[in-house]
Amino acid sequence: LEKGEEILTKLRVFTERKKYKWLFNQSLYRTASIRLTLNDYSEAIEYTRQALKGFQEMRDVFGTLDVLNALANQYRTLGNNKQSWSYLHDAVGLSRGKVVDPAQKWGVNTTIALNLAALGLHEAALEYQQEALRLALDLKPERPLVISRSYDFLAVTHSRLQNRDAALTNVDLAFESGRRLENQDSGREMMATALLHRGDILREARQ
């Protein structure tokens, strides 16, 4: 991570000097992702907000939507639901456009579901997760990691609603989707996450 951040810092300096706006905004956004991984939320949010401003000035719908969704997730993680929903509201408006990547619509629906779940509104969250899964399954080319995450989110929500059979079915589907990328770190991570959640579901069922 330190090496990655060092490279991004050099990239930010270079692209800002050369006025390569799109690359500069991307470097801000990628730096924010690294700071988030390091649990430095204040820095992550600051870099993300700078990227948002830059993408909006460029009228870059794709970049703006990605960053709005990221900010909604960041603020939800901090427990600031009001600010999270504010960014998410703007993201929903943009995601209704015809030029939006279906994968981005998946991201917005997933974030809505996670926000609803954070408020304890699990039945409402389930509806958005089901729509997110539909979008994931329709993506071309196929995106096993996105599909795996959708199934995993569904499994967790079904578990919270005491739908044990549906929870186990979805967590197994999440594992199988992740296994299609078992030679990659991301695939192994999703397989491990699915197994962890399967254990949680079974443990809760015995209580």
Side-chain angles (χ1 to χ4, degrees), residues 78-108:
L78 290 174
N80 189 337
N81 292 320
K82 182 178 180 180
Q83 191 64 62
S84 178
W85 281 108
S86 176
Y87 283 115
L88 194 50
H89 178 270
D90 292 341
V92 169
L94 276 182
S95 70
R96 290 174 177 163
K98 294 181 179 179
V99 299
V100 174
D101 184 342
Q104 291 184 301
K105 291 185 178 182
W106 172 85
V108 172

PDB file of all heavy atoms in Angstrom, residues 78-108:
ATOM      1  N   LEU A  78     -19.021   5.467   8.634  1.00  0.00           N
ATOM      2  CA  LEU A  78     -18.798   6.332   9.791  1.00  0.00           C
ATOM      3  C   LEU A  78     -20.058   6.552  10.616  1.00  0.00           C
ATOM      4  O   LEU A  78     -20.016   7.209  11.654  1.00  0.00           O
ATOM      5  CB  LEU A  78     -18.263   7.688   9.317  1.00  0.00           C
ATOM      6  CG  LEU A  78     -16.835   7.691   8.747  1.00  0.00           C
ATOM      7  CD1 LEU A  78     -16.494   9.069   8.192  1.00  0.00           C
ATOM      8  CD2 LEU A  78     -15.830   7.290   9.814  1.00  0.00           C
ATOM      9  N   GLY A  79     -21.182   6.003  10.153  1.00  0.00           N
ATOM     10  CA  GLY A  79     -22.438   6.160  10.882  1.00  0.00           C
ATOM     11  C   GLY A  79     -23.156   7.458  10.604  1.00  0.00           C
ATOM     12  O   GLY A  79     -24.139   7.794  11.289  1.00  0.00           O
ATOM     13  N   ASN A  80     -22.697   8.201   9.595  1.00  0.00           N
ATOM     14  CA  ASN A  80     -23.332   9.469   9.231  1.00  0.00           C
ATOM     15  C   ASN A  80     -24.347   9.195   8.119  1.00  0.00           C
ATOM     16  O   ASN A  80     -24.079   9.437   6.939  1.00  0.00           O
ATOM     17  CB  ASN A  80     -22.281  10.489   8.778  1.00  0.00           C
ATOM     18  CG  ASN A  80     -22.851  11.881   8.608  1.00  0.00           C
ATOM     19  OD1 ASN A  80     -24.053  12.045   8.401  1.00  0.00           O
ATOM     20  ND2 ASN A  80     -22.002  12.890   8.689  1.00  0.00           N
ATOM     21  N   ASN A  81     -25.507   8.671   8.511  1.00  0.00           N
ATOM     22  CA  ASN A  81     -26.504   8.262   7.526  1.00  0.00           C
ATOM     23  C   ASN A  81     -27.061   9.435   6.726  1.00  0.00           C
ATOM     24  O   ASN A  81     -27.338   9.299   5.524  1.00  0.00           O
ATOM     25  CB  ASN A  81     -27.646   7.516   8.220  1.00  0.00           C
ATOM     26  CG  ASN A  81     -27.215   6.177   8.773  1.00  0.00           C
ATOM     27  OD1 ASN A  81     -26.449   5.458   8.137  1.00  0.00           O
ATOM     28  ND2 ASN A  81     -27.681   5.839   9.961  1.00  0.00           N
ATOM     29  N   LYS A  82     -27.222  10.575   7.378  1.00  0.00           N
ATOM     30  CA  LYS A  82     -27.779  11.737   6.687  1.00  0.00           C
ATOM     31  C   LYS A  82     -26.891  12.137   5.506  1.00  0.00           C
ATOM     32  O   LYS A  82     -27.377  12.374   4.396  1.00  0.00           O
ATOM     33  CB  LYS A  82     -27.929  12.902   7.662  1.00  0.00           C
ATOM     34  CG  LYS A  82     -28.552  14.138   7.026  1.00  0.00           C
ATOM     35  CD  LYS A  82     -28.726  15.261   8.060  1.00  0.00           C
ATOM     36  CE  LYS A  82     -29.341  16.495   7.402  1.00  0.00           C
ATOM     37  NZ  LYS A  82     -29.529  17.596   8.394  1.00  0.00           N
ATOM     38  N   GLN A  83     -25.578  12.233   5.748  1.00  0.00           N
ATOM     39  CA  GLN A  83     -24.664  12.629   4.684  1.00  0.00           C
ATOM     40  C   GLN A  83     -24.561  11.545   3.622  1.00  0.00           C
ATOM     41  O   GLN A  83     -24.470  11.818   2.424  1.00  0.00           O
ATOM     42  CB  GLN A  83     -23.274  12.912   5.260  1.00  0.00           C
ATOM     43  CG  GLN A  83     -22.321  13.581   4.289  1.00  0.00           C
ATOM     44  CD  GLN A  83     -22.793  14.969   3.868  1.00  0.00           C
ATOM     45  OE1 GLN A  83     -22.926  15.875   4.689  1.00  0.00           O
ATOM     46  NE2 GLN A  83     -23.055  15.140   2.583  1.00  0.00           N
ATOM     47  N   SER A  84     -24.600  10.300   4.065  1.00  0.00           N
ATOM     48  CA  SER A  84     -24.547   9.181   3.124  1.00  0.00           C
ATOM     49  C   SER A  84     -25.724   9.208   2.168  1.00  0.00           C
ATOM     50  O   SER A  84     -25.560   9.085   0.946  1.00  0.00           O
ATOM     51  CB  SER A  84     -24.540   7.849   3.890  1.00  0.00           C
ATOM     52  OG  SER A  84     -24.534   6.760   2.995  1.00  0.00           O
ATOM     53  N   TRP A  85     -26.927   9.391   2.706  1.00  0.00           N
ATOM     54  CA  TRP A  85     -28.123   9.433   1.848  1.00  0.00           C
ATOM     55  C   TRP A  85     -28.105  10.642   0.922  1.00  0.00           C
ATOM     56  O   TRP A  85     -28.640  10.597  -0.198  1.00  0.00           O
ATOM     57  CB  TRP A  85     -29.385   9.447   2.702  1.00  0.00           C
ATOM     58  CG  TRP A  85     -29.766   8.102   3.218  1.00  0.00           C
ATOM     59  CD1 TRP A  85     -29.675   7.657   4.502  1.00  0.00           C
ATOM     60  CD2 TRP A  85     -30.298   7.000   2.462  1.00  0.00           C
ATOM     61  NE1 TRP A  85     -30.107   6.360   4.600  1.00  0.00           N
ATOM     62  CE2 TRP A  85     -30.498   5.927   3.369  1.00  0.00           C
ATOM     63  CE3 TRP A  85     -30.610   6.819   1.122  1.00  0.00           C
ATOM     64  CZ2 TRP A  85     -31.009   4.697   2.961  1.00  0.00           C
ATOM     65  CZ3 TRP A  85     -31.120   5.595   0.710  1.00  0.00           C
ATOM     66  CH2 TRP A  85     -31.310   4.550   1.622  1.00  0.00           C
ATOM     67  N   SER A  86     -27.487  11.734   1.351  1.00  0.00           N
ATOM     68  CA  SER A  86     -27.403  12.925   0.509  1.00  0.00           C
ATOM     69  C   SER A  86     -26.610  12.622  -0.768  1.00  0.00           C
ATOM     70  O   SER A  86     -27.048  12.936  -1.880  1.00  0.00           O
ATOM     71  CB  SER A  86     -26.735  14.068   1.280  1.00  0.00           C
ATOM     72  OG  SER A  86     -26.571  15.196   0.449  1.00  0.00           O
ATOM     73  N   TYR A  87     -25.455  12.005  -0.608  1.00  0.00           N
ATOM     74  CA  TYR A  87     -24.653  11.641  -1.777  1.00  0.00           C
ATOM     75  C   TYR A  87     -25.355  10.563  -2.603  1.00  0.00           C
ATOM     76  O   TYR A  87     -25.307  10.577  -3.840  1.00  0.00           O
ATOM     77  CB  TYR A  87     -23.274  11.151  -1.347  1.00  0.00           C
ATOM     78  CG  TYR A  87     -22.343  12.267  -0.941  1.00  0.00           C
ATOM     79  CD1 TYR A  87     -21.881  12.372   0.369  1.00  0.00           C
ATOM     80  CD2 TYR A  87     -21.920  13.222  -1.859  1.00  0.00           C
ATOM     81  CE1 TYR A  87     -21.018  13.400   0.749  1.00  0.00           C
ATOM     82  CE2 TYR A  87     -21.062  14.256  -1.491  1.00  0.00           C
ATOM     83  CZ  TYR A  87     -20.621  14.331  -0.179  1.00  0.00           C
ATOM     84  OH  TYR A  87     -19.774  15.354   0.189  1.00  0.00           O
ATOM     85  N   LEU A  88     -26.016   9.651  -1.917  1.00  0.00           N
ATOM     86  CA  LEU A  88     -26.698   8.567  -2.620  1.00  0.00           C
ATOM     87  C   LEU A  88     -27.869   9.096  -3.445  1.00  0.00           C
ATOM     88  O   LEU A  88     -28.151   8.593  -4.542  1.00  0.00           O
ATOM     89  CB  LEU A  88     -27.180   7.524  -1.611  1.00  0.00           C
ATOM     90  CG  LEU A  88     -27.630   6.168  -2.154  1.00  0.00           C
ATOM     91  CD1 LEU A  88     -26.600   5.582  -3.106  1.00  0.00           C
ATOM     92  CD2 LEU A  88     -27.887   5.213  -1.011  1.00  0.00           C
ATOM     93  N   HIS A  89     -28.542  10.102  -2.927  1.00  0.00           N
ATOM     94  CA  HIS A  89     -29.644  10.730  -3.671  1.00  0.00           C
ATOM     95  C   HIS A  89     -29.141  11.270  -5.011  1.00  0.00           C
ATOM     96  O   HIS A  89     -29.783  11.079  -6.061  1.00  0.00           O
ATOM     97  CB  HIS A  89     -30.247  11.857  -2.844  1.00  0.00           C
ATOM     98  CG  HIS A  89     -31.351  12.606  -3.536  1.00  0.00           C
ATOM     99  ND1 HIS A  89     -31.102  13.722  -4.313  1.00  0.00           N
ATOM    100  CD2 HIS A  89     -32.697  12.394  -3.591  1.00  0.00           C
ATOM    101  CE1 HIS A  89     -32.236  14.178  -4.805  1.00  0.00           C
ATOM    102  NE2 HIS A  89     -33.221  13.385  -4.390  1.00  0.00           N
ATOM    103  N   ASP A  90     -27.984  11.935  -4.984  1.00  0.00           N
ATOM    104  CA  ASP A  90     -27.409  12.456  -6.230  1.00  0.00           C
ATOM    105  C   ASP A  90     -26.994  11.318  -7.162  1.00  0.00           C
ATOM    106  O   ASP A  90     -27.149  11.414  -8.386  1.00  0.00           O
ATOM    107  CB  ASP A  90     -26.202  13.334  -5.915  1.00  0.00           C
ATOM    108  CG  ASP A  90     -26.593  14.626  -5.201  1.00  0.00           C
ATOM    109  OD1 ASP A  90     -27.777  15.008  -5.266  1.00  0.00           O
ATOM    110  OD2 ASP A  90     -25.716  15.256  -4.577  1.00  0.00           O
ATOM    111  N   ALA A  91     -26.485  10.238  -6.574  1.00  0.00           N
ATOM    112  CA  ALA A  91     -26.063   9.088  -7.377  1.00  0.00           C
ATOM    113  C   ALA A  91     -27.251   8.436  -8.073  1.00  0.00           C
ATOM    114  O   ALA A  91     -27.164   8.037  -9.241  1.00  0.00           O
ATOM    115  CB  ALA A  91     -25.344   8.066  -6.498  1.00  0.00           C
ATOM    116  N   VAL A  92     -28.359   8.324  -7.370  1.00  0.00           N
ATOM    117  CA  VAL A  92     -29.560   7.729  -7.958  1.00  0.00           C
ATOM    118  C   VAL A  92     -30.023   8.543  -9.160  1.00  0.00           C
ATOM    119  O   VAL A  92     -30.390   8.003 -10.207  1.00  0.00           O
ATOM    120  CB  VAL A  92     -30.687   7.620  -6.908  1.00  0.00           C
ATOM    121  CG1 VAL A  92     -32.019   7.267  -7.577  1.00  0.00           C
ATOM    122  CG2 VAL A  92     -30.339   6.577  -5.863  1.00  0.00           C
ATOM    123  N   GLY A  93     -29.998   9.870  -9.009  1.00  0.00           N
ATOM    124  CA  GLY A  93     -30.410  10.730 -10.114  1.00  0.00           C
ATOM    125  C   GLY A  93     -29.556  10.510 -11.356  1.00  0.00           C
ATOM    126  O   GLY A  93     -30.077  10.395 -12.469  1.00  0.00           O
ATOM    127  N   LEU A  94     -28.235  10.408 -11.159  1.00  0.00           N
ATOM    128  CA  LEU A  94     -27.343  10.180 -12.293  1.00  0.00           C
ATOM    129  C   LEU A  94     -27.504   8.784 -12.884  1.00  0.00           C
ATOM    130  O   LEU A  94     -27.407   8.594 -14.094  1.00  0.00           O
ATOM    131  CB  LEU A  94     -25.883  10.361 -11.855  1.00  0.00           C
ATOM    132  CG  LEU A  94     -25.308  11.774 -11.834  1.00  0.00           C
ATOM    133  CD1 LEU A  94     -23.840  11.733 -11.431  1.00  0.00           C
ATOM    134  CD2 LEU A  94     -25.451  12.456 -13.184  1.00  0.00           C
ATOM    135  N   SER A  95     -27.763   7.800 -12.032  1.00  0.00           N
ATOM    136  CA  SER A  95     -27.819   6.408 -12.488  1.00  0.00           C
ATOM    137  C   SER A  95     -29.027   6.129 -13.374  1.00  0.00           C
ATOM    138  O   SER A  95     -29.084   5.079 -14.025  1.00  0.00           O
ATOM    139  CB  SER A  95     -27.835   5.450 -11.287  1.00  0.00           C
ATOM    140  OG  SER A  95     -29.061   5.530 -10.584  1.00  0.00           O
ATOM    141  N   ARG A  96     -29.973   7.039 -13.401  1.00  0.00           N
ATOM    142  CA  ARG A  96     -31.157   6.849 -14.246  1.00  0.00           C
ATOM    143  C   ARG A  96     -30.893   7.208 -15.714  1.00  0.00           C
ATOM    144  O   ARG A  96     -31.734   6.964 -16.572  1.00  0.00           O
ATOM    145  CB  ARG A  96     -32.318   7.688 -13.708  1.00  0.00           C
ATOM    146  CG  ARG A  96     -32.863   7.154 -12.386  1.00  0.00           C
ATOM    147  CD  ARG A  96     -33.904   8.070 -11.797  1.00  0.00           C
ATOM    148  NE  ARG A  96     -34.464   7.520 -10.564  1.00  0.00           N
ATOM    149  CZ  ARG A  96     -35.148   8.215  -9.676  1.00  0.00           C
ATOM    150  NH1 ARG A  96     -35.374   9.506  -9.891  1.00  0.00           N
ATOM    151  NH2 ARG A  96     -35.625   7.636  -8.589  1.00  0.00           N
ATOM    152  N   GLY A  97     -29.736   7.771 -15.985  1.00  0.00           N
ATOM    153  CA  GLY A  97     -29.405   8.133 -17.360  1.00  0.00           C
ATOM    154  C   GLY A  97     -29.127   6.915 -18.221  1.00  0.00           C
ATOM    155  O   GLY A  97     -28.691   5.866 -17.743  1.00  0.00           O
ATOM    156  N   LYS A  98     -29.374   7.052 -19.510  1.00  0.00           N
ATOM    157  CA  LYS A  98     -29.211   5.935 -20.437  1.00  0.00           C
ATOM    158  C   LYS A  98     -27.746   5.585 -20.676  1.00  0.00           C
ATOM    159  O   LYS A  98     -27.436   4.469 -21.094  1.00  0.00           O
ATOM    160  CB  LYS A  98     -29.886   6.264 -21.778  1.00  0.00           C
ATOM    161  CG  LYS A  98     -31.411   6.392 -21.677  1.00  0.00           C
ATOM    162  CD  LYS A  98     -32.025   6.684 -23.043  1.00  0.00           C
ATOM    163  CE  LYS A  98     -33.539   6.786 -22.941  1.00  0.00           C
ATOM    164  NZ  LYS A  98     -34.159   7.088 -24.260  1.00  0.00           N
ATOM    165  N   VAL A  99     -26.845   6.522 -20.454  1.00  0.00           N
ATOM    166  CA  VAL A  99     -25.440   6.274 -20.760  1.00  0.00           C
ATOM    167  C   VAL A  99     -24.680   5.620 -19.614  1.00  0.00           C
ATOM    168  O   VAL A  99     -23.494   5.334 -19.731  1.00  0.00           O
ATOM    169  CB  VAL A  99     -24.722   7.593 -21.129  1.00  0.00           C
ATOM    170  CG1 VAL A  99     -25.348   8.214 -22.354  1.00  0.00           C
ATOM    171  CG2 VAL A  99     -24.745   8.579 -19.961  1.00  0.00           C
ATOM    172  N   VAL A 100     -25.342   5.360 -18.516  1.00  0.00           N
ATOM    173  CA  VAL A 100     -24.672   4.828 -17.330  1.00  0.00           C
ATOM    174  C   VAL A 100     -24.348   3.345 -17.511  1.00  0.00           C
ATOM    175  O   VAL A 100     -25.158   2.567 -18.004  1.00  0.00           O
ATOM    176  CB  VAL A 100     -25.551   5.041 -16.078  1.00  0.00           C
ATOM    177  CG1 VAL A 100     -24.937   4.363 -14.869  1.00  0.00           C
ATOM    178  CG2 VAL A 100     -25.717   6.532 -15.818  1.00  0.00           C
ATOM    179  N   ASP A 101     -23.153   2.977 -17.086  1.00  0.00           N
ATOM    180  CA  ASP A 101     -22.710   1.592 -17.117  1.00  0.00           C
ATOM    181  C   ASP A 101     -23.589   0.762 -16.175  1.00  0.00           C
ATOM    182  O   ASP A 101     -23.793   1.149 -15.016  1.00  0.00           O
ATOM    183  CB  ASP A 101     -21.248   1.537 -16.649  1.00  0.00           C
ATOM    184  CG  ASP A 101     -20.645   0.149 -16.742  1.00  0.00           C
ATOM    185  OD1 ASP A 101     -21.405  -0.830 -16.827  1.00  0.00           O
ATOM    186  OD2 ASP A 101     -19.411   0.049 -16.719  1.00  0.00           O
ATOM    187  N   PRO A 102     -24.133  -0.388 -16.626  1.00  0.00           N
ATOM    188  CA  PRO A 102     -24.956  -1.235 -15.750  1.00  0.00           C
ATOM    189  C   PRO A 102     -24.234  -1.631 -14.456  1.00  0.00           C
ATOM    190  O   PRO A 102     -24.876  -1.806 -13.419  1.00  0.00           O
ATOM    191  CB  PRO A 102     -25.243  -2.464 -16.619  1.00  0.00           C
ATOM    192  CG  PRO A 102     -25.199  -1.941 -18.011  1.00  0.00           C
ATOM    193  CD  PRO A 102     -24.104  -0.906 -18.005  1.00  0.00           C
ATOM    194  N   ALA A 103     -22.910  -1.760 -14.521  1.00  0.00           N
ATOM    195  CA  ALA A 103     -22.149  -2.099 -13.311  1.00  0.00           C
ATOM    196  C   ALA A 103     -22.260  -0.984 -12.281  1.00  0.00           C
ATOM    197  O   ALA A 103     -22.263  -1.237 -11.066  1.00  0.00           O
ATOM    198  CB  ALA A 103     -20.687  -2.352 -13.658  1.00  0.00           C
ATOM    199  N   GLN A 104     -22.362   0.259 -12.754  1.00  0.00           N
ATOM    200  CA  GLN A 104     -22.527   1.379 -11.828  1.00  0.00           C
ATOM    201  C   GLN A 104     -23.926   1.367 -11.215  1.00  0.00           C
ATOM    202  O   GLN A 104     -24.100   1.695 -10.035  1.00  0.00           O
ATOM    203  CB  GLN A 104     -22.273   2.696 -12.544  1.00  0.00           C
ATOM    204  CG  GLN A 104     -20.813   2.901 -12.946  1.00  0.00           C
ATOM    205  CD  GLN A 104     -20.588   4.252 -13.575  1.00  0.00           C
ATOM    206  OE1 GLN A 104     -21.196   4.598 -14.585  1.00  0.00           O
ATOM    207  NE2 GLN A 104     -19.707   5.043 -12.984  1.00  0.00           N
ATOM    208  N   LYS A 105     -24.931   0.979 -12.007  1.00  0.00           N
ATOM    209  CA  LYS A 105     -26.280   0.845 -11.459  1.00  0.00           C
ATOM    210  C   LYS A 105     -26.300  -0.239 -10.386  1.00  0.00           C
ATOM    211  O   LYS A 105     -26.986  -0.109  -9.365  1.00  0.00           O
ATOM    212  CB  LYS A 105     -27.271   0.518 -12.573  1.00  0.00           C
ATOM    213  CG  LYS A 105     -27.503   1.665 -13.548  1.00  0.00           C
ATOM    214  CD  LYS A 105     -28.595   1.336 -14.557  1.00  0.00           C
ATOM    215  CE  LYS A 105     -28.849   2.516 -15.482  1.00  0.00           C
ATOM    216  NZ  LYS A 105     -29.935   2.251 -16.457  1.00  0.00           N
ATOM    217  N   TRP A 106     -25.553  -1.311 -10.634  1.00  0.00           N
ATOM    218  CA  TRP A 106     -25.417  -2.361  -9.613  1.00  0.00           C
ATOM    219  C   TRP A 106     -24.848  -1.754  -8.324  1.00  0.00           C
ATOM    220  O   TRP A 106     -25.348  -2.028  -7.229  1.00  0.00           O
ATOM    221  CB  TRP A 106     -24.496  -3.473 -10.110  1.00  0.00           C
ATOM    222  CG  TRP A 106     -24.157  -4.476  -9.051  1.00  0.00           C
ATOM    223  CD1 TRP A 106     -24.893  -5.575  -8.693  1.00  0.00           C
ATOM    224  CD2 TRP A 106     -23.025  -4.470  -8.178  1.00  0.00           C
ATOM    225  NE1 TRP A 106     -24.285  -6.243  -7.662  1.00  0.00           N
ATOM    226  CE2 TRP A 106     -23.130  -5.584  -7.329  1.00  0.00           C
ATOM    227  CE3 TRP A 106     -21.922  -3.623  -8.040  1.00  0.00           C
ATOM    228  CZ2 TRP A 106     -22.184  -5.890  -6.354  1.00  0.00           C
ATOM    229  CZ3 TRP A 106     -20.970  -3.917  -7.051  1.00  0.00           C
ATOM    230  CH2 TRP A 106     -21.107  -5.039  -6.239  1.00  0.00           C
ATOM    231  N   GLY A 107     -23.812  -0.931  -8.466  1.00  0.00           N
ATOM    232  CA  GLY A 107     -23.188  -0.333  -7.293  1.00  0.00           C
ATOM    233  C   GLY A 107     -24.141   0.550  -6.514  1.00  0.00           C
ATOM    234  O   GLY A 107     -24.168   0.511  -5.274  1.00  0.00           O
ATOM    235  N   VAL A 108     -24.946   1.334  -7.213  1.00  0.00           N
ATOM    236  CA  VAL A 108     -25.896   2.222  -6.545  1.00  0.00           C
ATOM    237  C   VAL A 108     -26.968   1.413  -5.815  1.00  0.00           C
ATOM    238  O   VAL A 108     -27.297   1.698  -4.659  1.00  0.00           O
ATOM    239  CB  VAL A 108     -26.542   3.195  -7.554  1.00  0.00           C
ATOM    240  CG1 VAL A 108     -27.675   3.977  -6.895  1.00  0.00           C
ATOM    241  CG2 VAL A 108     -25.496   4.152  -8.105  1.00  0.00           C
TER     242      VAL A 108
END
